[in-house]
Amino acid sequence: MANRPQPSFPEPDTQHFWEGCKAGELRYQRDAEGNVVFYPRAHSTADGSGGLTWHVSSGLGTVYTYSVVRQNRMPGFQELGAYAVAYVDLDEGFRMLTNVVGVANPTADIQIGQRVQVEFEDQDGDDAYPIPVFRPI
Amino acid sequence: MAQERVAAIAGIHEYPLRVAPGVSSMQIKADSMKRALDDAGLSWSDVDGLYDALDGEGGGGLGLAAYLGIKPRMIDTTQVGGSSYEFHASHALRDIAAGRTNVAVTTYGSTSASMRVPIGTGGLGRGGASWQQNMEAPYGSTLIANYAMVAHRHMHDYGTTTEQLAQISVATRKHAMRNPEAVKAMTDLQFVKVDEITVEDVLESRIVADPLHLLECCMISDGGGAAVFVSADVARDIKKKPVWIIGSGEATKYRENDGDITTSAGAQSALAAFSQAGVTPDEIDIAMIYDSFSITVAVCLEDLGFCGKGEIGPWMADGHLAFDQPGLTLNTDGGGLSSNHPGMRGLFLLLESVRQLRGESTSQVEGAQLAVAHGNGGLLGGTHTGGTVILAAD
């Protein structure tokens, strides 16, 4: 899956997250009270305050749930075999939509509760943003 | 408890065809409005309120008013996905009570089947730059996959099985086979088997996104319809018995860092609706629940309070969802699974509720007095809305 849809910019909320992916970092935010904010935004979802700070995740998490997609008519995915989409709960307390990769048979080899580690999958094109996906550990 | 009876559904129409080549969504909307007004014994010029879900080529209430050639004094373009029509009914109750409209319509028209729109499998995130698209588009999730992730977590947390969820598909198909328009729909859309189905049929159908099988997924059809909302004054003089809107609730839910994906926005919207109506789930005769997928119905029935969270599998096991069995009856028109799903099914939940409470359903529950129409819009498991409407016979 090296030809995935890329994020598009300008988009001020998510640019720093994706620059992090280029640097090999999975970035997330906290507000002044320490509440985790994810997906990235300019305001705290707890109280609307600004001044969020960026942090780098360990990239370790747990599969919250997943599905193996057998059919996707979207270019870039439609010719793939079955692949797994998942919500992964990162240890720092945020949940992201992602893929679980690196298993022979996604239907049999992925389980809810499984521990996973982020990796950044390179994409075609010199300026392409690598995509953060997860592999069981 | 005496219910307030200030707003009613006076007329309905469901566009009969599910494959309608050569017809535009706007034509379906206008035709359906005319026929729903006829059903109520009201006229085009009586309409003074317009609800619209931004469907078709209409441009919402603004463009639709121009197309229809009417000048309503109340316009509401609420688009919250497939549950938009439950929101419209909810707003109609509010707006009629406030005296802002006496005869309002909501219409729906779609040519999703003829246009070959891959609603469930087309992939998400094809839009331009946005905070959410940028975080989700790269992963190749589909609409179905979002619902499937809810199903997986429900199975993990509560031991729910596909065999249990299949009861929803089985009961719905039984109802569809009694509805000539649903039979024609399945025939025109070239279903492999236009007949009643068994749990085994569901299990043996192919998996579209684990763990959801084809026979747990709604069809993609053309279609549409309309409903006419009226004040109590107008309701006195209509052609048929009014069906009263006695309670409604609205809510939203989305991916949250510590959220429980097995509970939908319906848990919040149902509380408001039942509270306003002054009735409890065990008094409900008919549940019209948005059956985009089996899991949608399962989660929403729990969230509406028909059984506890996680109990849906055993609760459905006796097959009581069918109209000829004692207990709560589900989706008597054949549902999105087997009758009609042009993309936003919420309208049909209201229409079949009205048929049941008038005694006009093809799978009529004798003496039905109370129905709940619950729409789930957007993506269960992702960003979605819940719209709950409680309806009472006259």
Side-chain angles (χ1 to χ4, degrees), chain B residues 75-124:
Chain B
I75 297 171
D76 175 340
T77 306
T78 294
Q79 163 51 261
V80 289
S83 60
S84 295
Y85 302 94
E86 279 64 49
F87 279 63
H88 294 172
S90 178
H91 296 177
L93 177 55
R94 175 193 69 196
D95 296 337
I96 289 169
R100 303 303 295 259
T101 176
N102 289 316
V103 178
V105 293
T106 184
T107 62
Y108 178 37
S110 166
T111 54
S112 294
S114 295
M115 303 290 284
R116 299 280 185 273
V117 181
I119 296 172
T121 59
L124 302 171

mmCIF file of all heavy atoms in Angstrom, chain B residues 75-124:
data_model
loop_
_atom_site.group_PDB
_atom_site.id
_atom_site.type_symbol
_atom_site.label_atom_id
_atom_site.label_comp_id
_atom_site.label_asym_id
_atom_site.label_seq_id
_atom_site.Cartn_x
_atom_site.Cartn_y
_atom_site.Cartn_z
ATOM 1 N N ILE B 75 -38.187 27.448 6.833
ATOM 2 C CA ILE B 75 -37.288 26.571 6.060
ATOM 3 C C ILE B 75 -36.223 26.027 6.993
ATOM 4 O O ILE B 75 -35.623 26.768 7.770
ATOM 5 C CB ILE B 75 -36.621 27.347 4.904
ATOM 6 C CG1 ILE B 75 -37.662 27.835 3.904
ATOM 7 C CG2 ILE B 75 -35.592 26.463 4.189
ATOM 8 C CD1 ILE B 75 -37.107 28.785 2.869
ATOM 9 N N ASP B 76 -35.981 24.715 6.897
ATOM 10 C CA ASP B 76 -35.001 24.058 7.763
ATOM 11 C C ASP B 76 -34.253 23.025 6.929
ATOM 12 O O ASP B 76 -34.822 22.023 6.528
ATOM 13 C CB ASP B 76 -35.754 23.400 8.933
ATOM 14 C CG ASP B 76 -34.848 22.580 9.843
ATOM 15 O OD1 ASP B 76 -33.742 22.182 9.419
ATOM 16 O OD2 ASP B 76 -35.258 22.318 10.990
ATOM 17 N N THR B 77 -32.991 23.309 6.646
ATOM 18 C CA THR B 77 -32.165 22.366 5.881
ATOM 19 C C THR B 77 -31.226 21.659 6.845
ATOM 20 O O THR B 77 -30.076 22.039 6.999
ATOM 21 C CB THR B 77 -31.364 23.087 4.785
ATOM 22 O OG1 THR B 77 -32.265 23.834 3.975
ATOM 23 C CG2 THR B 77 -30.617 22.080 3.904
ATOM 24 N N THR B 78 -31.753 20.670 7.534
ATOM 25 C CA THR B 78 -30.932 19.910 8.477
ATOM 26 C C THR B 78 -30.436 18.635 7.804
ATOM 27 O O THR B 78 -31.231 17.776 7.425
ATOM 28 C CB THR B 78 -31.749 19.554 9.736
ATOM 29 O OG1 THR B 78 -32.070 20.764 10.425
ATOM 30 C CG2 THR B 78 -30.948 18.656 10.663
ATOM 31 N N GLN B 79 -29.129 18.540 7.649
ATOM 32 C CA GLN B 79 -28.502 17.364 7.045
ATOM 33 C C GLN B 79 -27.557 16.755 8.072
ATOM 34 O O GLN B 79 -26.504 17.314 8.357
ATOM 35 C CB GLN B 79 -27.739 17.769 5.777
ATOM 36 C CG GLN B 79 -26.716 16.745 5.290
ATOM 37 C CD GLN B 79 -27.251 15.352 5.142
ATOM 38 O OE1 GLN B 79 -27.063 14.507 6.010
ATOM 39 N NE2 GLN B 79 -27.925 15.091 4.048
ATOM 40 N N VAL B 80 -27.996 15.632 8.637
ATOM 41 C CA VAL B 80 -27.168 14.928 9.620
ATOM 42 C C VAL B 80 -27.079 13.450 9.249
ATOM 43 O O VAL B 80 -27.087 12.575 10.097
ATOM 44 C CB VAL B 80 -27.720 15.089 11.062
ATOM 45 C CG1 VAL B 80 -27.507 16.502 11.564
ATOM 46 C CG2 VAL B 80 -29.192 14.715 11.136
ATOM 47 N N GLY B 81 -27.004 13.191 7.948
ATOM 48 C CA GLY B 81 -26.945 11.810 7.484
ATOM 49 C C GLY B 81 -28.330 11.185 7.413
ATOM 50 O O GLY B 81 -29.352 11.888 7.344
ATOM 51 N N GLY B 82 -28.351 9.865 7.441
ATOM 52 C CA GLY B 82 -29.591 9.125 7.217
ATOM 53 C C GLY B 82 -30.677 9.374 8.242
ATOM 54 O O GLY B 82 -31.847 9.061 8.009
ATOM 55 N N SER B 83 -30.307 9.906 9.384
ATOM 56 C CA SER B 83 -31.305 10.213 10.410
ATOM 57 C C SER B 83 -31.873 11.618 10.245
ATOM 58 O O SER B 83 -32.633 12.086 11.104
ATOM 59 C CB SER B 83 -30.689 10.080 11.805
ATOM 60 O OG SER B 83 -29.597 10.983 11.932
ATOM 61 N N SER B 84 -31.550 12.294 9.160
ATOM 62 C CA SER B 84 -32.026 13.676 8.963
ATOM 63 C C SER B 84 -33.538 13.771 9.111
ATOM 64 O O SER B 84 -34.064 14.770 9.632
ATOM 65 C CB SER B 84 -31.627 14.178 7.570
ATOM 66 O OG SER B 84 -30.226 14.265 7.459
ATOM 67 N N TYR B 85 -34.255 12.743 8.669
ATOM 68 C CA TYR B 85 -35.719 12.817 8.661
ATOM 69 C C TYR B 85 -36.314 12.669 10.060
ATOM 70 O O TYR B 85 -37.383 13.206 10.337
ATOM 71 C CB TYR B 85 -36.284 11.787 7.670
ATOM 72 C CG TYR B 85 -35.713 12.060 6.298
ATOM 73 C CD1 TYR B 85 -34.571 11.407 5.848
ATOM 74 C CD2 TYR B 85 -36.255 13.056 5.497
ATOM 75 C CE1 TYR B 85 -34.000 11.718 4.620
ATOM 76 C CE2 TYR B 85 -35.695 13.372 4.274
ATOM 77 C CZ TYR B 85 -34.568 12.698 3.845
ATOM 78 O OH TYR B 85 -34.000 13.025 2.637
ATOM 79 N N GLU B 86 -35.610 11.954 10.943
ATOM 80 C CA GLU B 86 -36.048 11.937 12.341
ATOM 81 C C GLU B 86 -35.817 13.320 12.950
ATOM 82 O O GLU B 86 -36.632 13.803 13.747
ATOM 83 C CB GLU B 86 -35.288 10.864 13.130
ATOM 84 C CG GLU B 86 -35.837 9.458 12.943
ATOM 85 C CD GLU B 86 -35.701 8.947 11.521
ATOM 86 O OE1 GLU B 86 -34.585 9.048 10.964
ATOM 87 O OE2 GLU B 86 -36.699 8.462 10.955
ATOM 88 N N PHE B 87 -34.733 13.952 12.569
ATOM 89 C CA PHE B 87 -34.489 15.330 13.028
ATOM 90 C C PHE B 87 -35.569 16.268 12.480
ATOM 91 O O PHE B 87 -36.032 17.173 13.176
ATOM 92 C CB PHE B 87 -33.091 15.799 12.604
ATOM 93 C CG PHE B 87 -31.968 15.314 13.503
ATOM 94 C CD1 PHE B 87 -31.698 13.965 13.641
ATOM 95 C CD2 PHE B 87 -31.188 16.216 14.208
ATOM 96 C CE1 PHE B 87 -30.677 13.514 14.469
ATOM 97 C CE2 PHE B 87 -30.158 15.782 15.041
ATOM 98 C CZ PHE B 87 -29.897 14.432 15.173
ATOM 99 N N HIS B 88 -35.975 16.057 11.229
ATOM 100 C CA HIS B 88 -37.023 16.904 10.659
ATOM 101 C C HIS B 88 -38.333 16.737 11.443
ATOM 102 O O HIS B 88 -39.023 17.719 11.743
ATOM 103 C CB HIS B 88 -37.255 16.561 9.184
ATOM 104 C CG HIS B 88 -36.087 16.876 8.304
ATOM 105 N ND1 HIS B 88 -36.016 16.506 6.987
ATOM 106 C CD2 HIS B 88 -34.923 17.538 8.555
ATOM 107 C CE1 HIS B 88 -34.864 16.923 6.465
ATOM 108 N NE2 HIS B 88 -34.190 17.542 7.403
ATOM 109 N N ALA B 89 -38.670 15.498 11.765
ATOM 110 C CA ALA B 89 -39.897 15.261 12.538
ATOM 111 C C ALA B 89 -39.782 15.908 13.915
ATOM 112 O O ALA B 89 -40.744 16.483 14.434
ATOM 113 C CB ALA B 89 -40.154 13.763 12.670
ATOM 114 N N SER B 90 -38.592 15.811 14.478
ATOM 115 C CA SER B 90 -38.348 16.426 15.778
ATOM 116 C C SER B 90 -38.508 17.941 15.694
ATOM 117 O O SER B 90 -39.151 18.573 16.543
ATOM 118 C CB SER B 90 -36.932 16.059 16.238
ATOM 119 O OG SER B 90 -36.624 16.663 17.466
ATOM 120 N N HIS B 91 -37.943 18.521 14.639
ATOM 121 C CA HIS B 91 -38.053 19.970 14.465
ATOM 122 C C HIS B 91 -39.493 20.379 14.138
ATOM 123 O O HIS B 91 -39.943 21.463 14.541
ATOM 124 C CB HIS B 91 -37.105 20.439 13.354
ATOM 125 C CG HIS B 91 -35.664 20.213 13.689
ATOM 126 N ND1 HIS B 91 -34.638 20.487 12.828
ATOM 127 C CD2 HIS B 91 -35.078 19.708 14.805
ATOM 128 C CE1 HIS B 91 -33.479 20.178 13.400
ATOM 129 N NE2 HIS B 91 -33.734 19.695 14.593
ATOM 130 N N ALA B 92 -40.202 19.513 13.435
ATOM 131 C CA ALA B 92 -41.601 19.820 13.104
ATOM 132 C C ALA B 92 -42.434 19.921 14.384
ATOM 133 O O ALA B 92 -43.277 20.814 14.519
ATOM 134 C CB ALA B 92 -42.172 18.760 12.176
ATOM 135 N N LEU B 93 -42.177 19.002 15.300
ATOM 136 C CA LEU B 93 -42.884 19.059 16.591
ATOM 137 C C LEU B 93 -42.611 20.404 17.275
ATOM 138 O O LEU B 93 -43.533 21.074 17.758
ATOM 139 C CB LEU B 93 -42.420 17.884 17.463
ATOM 140 C CG LEU B 93 -42.980 17.792 18.884
ATOM 141 C CD1 LEU B 93 -44.490 17.784 18.898
ATOM 142 C CD2 LEU B 93 -42.436 16.542 19.584
ATOM 143 N N ARG B 94 -41.351 20.799 17.276
ATOM 144 C CA ARG B 94 -40.946 22.064 17.893
ATOM 145 C C ARG B 94 -41.549 23.264 17.144
ATOM 146 O O ARG B 94 -42.114 24.174 17.752
ATOM 147 C CB ARG B 94 -39.413 22.136 17.869
ATOM 148 C CG ARG B 94 -38.808 23.422 18.369
ATOM 149 C CD ARG B 94 -37.332 23.499 17.988
ATOM 150 N NE ARG B 94 -37.145 23.670 16.551
ATOM 151 C CZ ARG B 94 -36.001 23.458 15.908
ATOM 152 N NH1 ARG B 94 -34.941 23.025 16.572
ATOM 153 N NH2 ARG B 94 -35.907 23.649 14.620
ATOM 154 N N ASP B 95 -41.432 23.249 15.819
ATOM 155 C CA ASP B 95 -41.829 24.416 15.025
ATOM 156 C C ASP B 95 -43.350 24.574 14.981
ATOM 157 O O ASP B 95 -43.863 25.697 14.976
ATOM 158 C CB ASP B 95 -41.262 24.295 13.603
ATOM 159 C CG ASP B 95 -39.741 24.308 13.595
ATOM 160 O OD1 ASP B 95 -39.141 24.838 14.563
ATOM 161 O OD2 ASP B 95 -39.143 23.763 12.646
ATOM 162 N N ILE B 96 -44.057 23.466 14.923
ATOM 163 C CA ILE B 96 -45.521 23.536 14.934
ATOM 164 C C ILE B 96 -46.004 24.030 16.298
ATOM 165 O O ILE B 96 -46.889 24.881 16.388
ATOM 166 C CB ILE B 96 -46.132 22.167 14.562
ATOM 167 C CG1 ILE B 96 -45.895 21.886 13.073
ATOM 168 C CG2 ILE B 96 -47.616 22.116 14.909
ATOM 169 C CD1 ILE B 96 -46.202 20.473 12.634
ATOM 170 N N ALA B 97 -45.372 23.520 17.363
ATOM 171 C CA ALA B 97 -45.745 23.973 18.706
ATOM 172 C C ALA B 97 -45.516 25.477 18.867
ATOM 173 O O ALA B 97 -46.253 26.162 19.574
ATOM 174 C CB ALA B 97 -44.955 23.203 19.762
ATOM 175 N N ALA B 98 -44.502 25.987 18.184
ATOM 176 C CA ALA B 98 -44.176 27.417 18.267
ATOM 177 C C ALA B 98 -44.995 28.261 17.299
ATOM 178 O O ALA B 98 -44.825 29.483 17.243
ATOM 179 C CB ALA B 98 -42.686 27.618 18.010
ATOM 180 N N GLY B 99 -45.838 27.614 16.499
ATOM 181 C CA GLY B 99 -46.679 28.353 15.567
ATOM 182 C C GLY B 99 -45.972 28.839 14.313
ATOM 183 O O GLY B 99 -46.482 29.692 13.599
ATOM 184 N N ARG B 100 -44.803 28.280 14.011
ATOM 185 C CA ARG B 100 -44.042 28.736 12.853
ATOM 186 C C ARG B 100 -44.481 28.075 11.546
ATOM 187 O O ARG B 100 -44.105 28.524 10.471
ATOM 188 C CB ARG B 100 -42.529 28.478 13.062
ATOM 189 C CG ARG B 100 -41.959 29.125 14.317
ATOM 190 C CD ARG B 100 -42.200 30.628 14.329
ATOM 191 N NE ARG B 100 -41.509 31.325 13.264
ATOM 192 C CZ ARG B 100 -40.377 32.000 13.401
ATOM 193 N NH1 ARG B 100 -39.803 32.071 14.586
ATOM 194 N NH2 ARG B 100 -39.813 32.613 12.376
ATOM 195 N N THR B 101 -45.205 26.988 11.640
ATOM 196 C CA THR B 101 -45.713 26.301 10.452
ATOM 197 C C THR B 101 -46.917 25.459 10.845
ATOM 198 O O THR B 101 -47.004 24.980 11.985
ATOM 199 C CB THR B 101 -44.625 25.420 9.791
ATOM 200 O OG1 THR B 101 -45.191 24.701 8.695
ATOM 201 C CG2 THR B 101 -44.033 24.432 10.778
ATOM 202 N N ASN B 102 -47.852 25.309 9.908
ATOM 203 C CA ASN B 102 -49.028 24.451 10.150
ATOM 204 C C ASN B 102 -49.053 23.226 9.257
ATOM 205 O O ASN B 102 -49.620 22.202 9.614
ATOM 206 C CB ASN B 102 -50.319 25.241 9.944
ATOM 207 C CG ASN B 102 -50.551 26.256 11.040
ATOM 208 O OD1 ASN B 102 -50.374 25.942 12.220
ATOM 209 N ND2 ASN B 102 -50.908 27.470 10.662
ATOM 210 N N VAL B 103 -48.478 23.378 8.058
ATOM 211 C CA VAL B 103 -48.390 22.258 7.113
ATOM 212 C C VAL B 103 -46.977 22.280 6.533
ATOM 213 O O VAL B 103 -46.638 23.124 5.709
ATOM 214 C CB VAL B 103 -49.415 22.375 5.971
ATOM 215 C CG1 VAL B 103 -49.241 21.218 4.987
ATOM 216 C CG2 VAL B 103 -50.836 22.401 6.520
ATOM 217 N N ALA B 104 -46.163 21.330 6.987
ATOM 218 C CA ALA B 104 -44.770 21.296 6.532
ATOM 219 C C ALA B 104 -44.475 19.949 5.886
ATOM 220 O O ALA B 104 -45.071 18.933 6.262
ATOM 221 C CB ALA B 104 -43.822 21.526 7.699
ATOM 222 N N VAL B 105 -43.576 19.954 4.924
ATOM 223 C CA VAL B 105 -43.226 18.689 4.277
ATOM 224 C C VAL B 105 -41.729 18.449 4.363
ATOM 225 O O VAL B 105 -40.928 19.386 4.417
ATOM 226 C CB VAL B 105 -43.645 18.664 2.783
ATOM 227 C CG1 VAL B 105 -45.148 18.685 2.641
ATOM 228 C CG2 VAL B 105 -42.993 19.783 2.010
ATOM 229 N N THR B 106 -41.372 17.163 4.390
ATOM 230 C CA THR B 106 -40.000 16.764 4.136
ATOM 231 C C THR B 106 -40.038 15.783 2.977
ATOM 232 O O THR B 106 -40.970 14.969 2.883
ATOM 233 C CB THR B 106 -39.317 16.152 5.370
ATOM 234 O OG1 THR B 106 -37.946 15.883 5.042
ATOM 235 C CG2 THR B 106 -39.985 14.865 5.833
ATOM 236 N N THR B 107 -39.084 15.898 2.096
ATOM 237 C CA THR B 107 -39.070 15.039 0.906
ATOM 238 C C THR B 107 -37.700 14.409 0.745
ATOM 239 O O THR B 107 -36.699 14.924 1.247
ATOM 240 C CB THR B 107 -39.368 15.847 -0.372
ATOM 241 O OG1 THR B 107 -38.343 16.832 -0.550
ATOM 242 C CG2 THR B 107 -40.730 16.514 -0.309
ATOM 243 N N TYR B 108 -37.681 13.308 0.021
ATOM 244 C CA TYR B 108 -36.410 12.614 -0.228
ATOM 245 C C TYR B 108 -36.445 12.036 -1.634
ATOM 246 O O TYR B 108 -37.453 11.463 -2.052
ATOM 247 C CB TYR B 108 -36.213 11.497 0.802
ATOM 248 C CG TYR B 108 -34.965 10.668 0.626
ATOM 249 C CD1 TYR B 108 -33.763 11.243 0.207
ATOM 250 C CD2 TYR B 108 -34.975 9.303 0.897
ATOM 251 C CE1 TYR B 108 -32.624 10.485 0.066
ATOM 252 C CE2 TYR B 108 -33.832 8.525 0.764
ATOM 253 C CZ TYR B 108 -32.651 9.120 0.347
ATOM 254 O OH TYR B 108 -31.519 8.365 0.200
ATOM 255 N N GLY B 109 -35.362 12.217 -2.356
ATOM 256 C CA GLY B 109 -35.231 11.596 -3.668
ATOM 257 C C GLY B 109 -33.785 11.213 -3.899
ATOM 258 O O GLY B 109 -32.866 11.970 -3.568
ATOM 259 N N SER B 110 -33.571 10.020 -4.432
ATOM 260 C CA SER B 110 -32.203 9.559 -4.672
ATOM 261 C C SER B 110 -32.191 8.572 -5.821
ATOM 262 O O SER B 110 -33.103 7.763 -5.973
ATOM 263 C CB SER B 110 -31.647 8.889 -3.414
ATOM 264 O OG SER B 110 -30.468 8.170 -3.718
ATOM 265 N N THR B 111 -31.151 8.641 -6.619
ATOM 266 C CA THR B 111 -30.979 7.680 -7.717
ATOM 267 C C THR B 111 -29.658 6.948 -7.552
ATOM 268 O O THR B 111 -28.914 6.736 -8.497
ATOM 269 C CB THR B 111 -31.034 8.402 -9.075
ATOM 270 O OG1 THR B 111 -30.079 9.473 -9.081
ATOM 271 C CG2 THR B 111 -32.415 8.986 -9.327
ATOM 272 N N SER B 112 -29.377 6.548 -6.304
ATOM 273 C CA SER B 112 -28.088 5.908 -6.000
ATOM 274 C C SER B 112 -27.855 4.635 -6.798
ATOM 275 O O SER B 112 -26.720 4.347 -7.192
ATOM 276 C CB SER B 112 -28.015 5.579 -4.503
ATOM 277 O OG SER B 112 -27.988 6.753 -3.737
ATOM 278 N N ALA B 113 -28.906 3.848 -7.023
ATOM 279 C CA ALA B 113 -28.717 2.590 -7.758
ATOM 280 C C ALA B 113 -28.440 2.882 -9.227
ATOM 281 O O ALA B 113 -27.498 2.337 -9.808
ATOM 282 C CB ALA B 113 -29.954 1.700 -7.601
ATOM 283 N N SER B 114 -29.245 3.726 -9.823
ATOM 284 C CA SER B 114 -29.054 4.015 -11.246
ATOM 285 C C SER B 114 -27.721 4.714 -11.503
ATOM 286 O O SER B 114 -27.112 4.542 -12.553
ATOM 287 C CB SER B 114 -30.207 4.890 -11.764
ATOM 288 O OG SER B 114 -31.418 4.179 -11.711
ATOM 289 N N MET B 115 -27.265 5.493 -10.529
ATOM 290 C CA MET B 115 -25.981 6.186 -10.682
ATOM 291 C C MET B 115 -24.801 5.304 -10.277
ATOM 292 O O MET B 115 -23.654 5.737 -10.344
ATOM 293 C CB MET B 115 -25.968 7.462 -9.837
ATOM 294 C CG MET B 115 -27.082 8.454 -10.126
ATOM 295 S SD MET B 115 -26.919 9.264 -11.720
ATOM 296 C CE MET B 115 -25.609 10.429 -11.335
ATOM 297 N N ARG B 116 -25.091 4.079 -9.786
ATOM 298 C CA ARG B 116 -24.041 3.148 -9.361
ATOM 299 C C ARG B 116 -23.130 3.749 -8.285
ATOM 300 O O ARG B 116 -21.912 3.686 -8.375
ATOM 301 C CB ARG B 116 -23.180 2.711 -10.550
ATOM 302 C CG ARG B 116 -23.933 1.976 -11.648
ATOM 303 C CD ARG B 116 -24.158 0.507 -11.297
ATOM 304 N NE ARG B 116 -24.763 -0.245 -12.384
ATOM 305 C CZ ARG B 116 -26.088 -0.327 -12.583
ATOM 306 N NH1 ARG B 116 -26.928 0.299 -11.780
ATOM 307 N NH2 ARG B 116 -26.564 -1.058 -13.571
ATOM 308 N N VAL B 117 -23.747 4.358 -7.281
ATOM 309 C CA VAL B 117 -22.957 4.954 -6.209
ATOM 310 C C VAL B 117 -22.534 3.859 -5.231
ATOM 311 O O VAL B 117 -23.384 3.192 -4.649
ATOM 312 C CB VAL B 117 -23.791 6.014 -5.449
ATOM 313 C CG1 VAL B 117 -22.952 6.663 -4.348
ATOM 314 C CG2 VAL B 117 -24.312 7.070 -6.420
ATOM 315 N N PRO B 118 -21.216 3.622 -5.045
ATOM 316 C CA PRO B 118 -20.767 2.590 -4.100
ATOM 317 C C PRO B 118 -20.743 3.126 -2.673
ATOM 318 O O PRO B 118 -19.695 3.404 -2.102
ATOM 319 C CB PRO B 118 -19.369 2.239 -4.610
ATOM 320 C CG PRO B 118 -18.876 3.507 -5.224
ATOM 321 C CD PRO B 118 -20.090 4.260 -5.732
ATOM 322 N N ILE B 119 -21.944 3.245 -2.074
ATOM 323 C CA ILE B 119 -22.061 3.920 -0.778
ATOM 324 C C ILE B 119 -21.227 3.228 0.300
ATOM 325 O O ILE B 119 -20.488 3.867 1.032
ATOM 326 C CB ILE B 119 -23.541 3.977 -0.335
ATOM 327 C CG1 ILE B 119 -24.357 4.825 -1.318
ATOM 328 C CG2 ILE B 119 -23.660 4.541 1.077
ATOM 329 C CD1 ILE B 119 -25.859 4.779 -1.088
ATOM 330 N N GLY B 120 -21.349 1.917 0.354
ATOM 331 C CA GLY B 120 -20.706 1.210 1.466
ATOM 332 C C GLY B 120 -19.259 0.872 1.233
ATOM 333 O O GLY B 120 -18.484 0.719 2.174
ATOM 334 N N THR B 121 -18.884 0.750 -0.033
ATOM 335 C CA THR B 121 -17.546 0.241 -0.341
ATOM 336 C C THR B 121 -16.726 1.224 -1.157
ATOM 337 O O THR B 121 -15.683 0.875 -1.688
ATOM 338 C CB THR B 121 -17.653 -1.087 -1.122
ATOM 339 O OG1 THR B 121 -18.387 -0.851 -2.336
ATOM 340 C CG2 THR B 121 -18.345 -2.151 -0.315
ATOM 341 N N GLY B 122 -17.190 2.453 -1.270
ATOM 342 C CA GLY B 122 -16.511 3.419 -2.124
ATOM 343 C C GLY B 122 -15.275 4.020 -1.501
ATOM 344 O O GLY B 122 -14.541 4.751 -2.161
ATOM 345 N N GLY B 123 -15.035 3.716 -0.242
ATOM 346 C CA GLY B 123 -13.899 4.339 0.423
ATOM 347 C C GLY B 123 -14.308 5.692 0.947
ATOM 348 O O GLY B 123 -15.148 6.377 0.376
ATOM 349 N N LEU B 124 -13.729 6.060 2.066
ATOM 350 C CA LEU B 124 -14.061 7.333 2.689
ATOM 351 C C LEU B 124 -12.937 8.319 2.411
ATOM 352 O O LEU B 124 -11.849 7.971 2.040
ATOM 353 C CB LEU B 124 -14.233 7.130 4.195
ATOM 354 C CG LEU B 124 -15.304 6.100 4.550
ATOM 355 C CD1 LEU B 124 -15.265 5.783 6.031
ATOM 356 C CD2 LEU B 124 -16.682 6.603 4.153
#
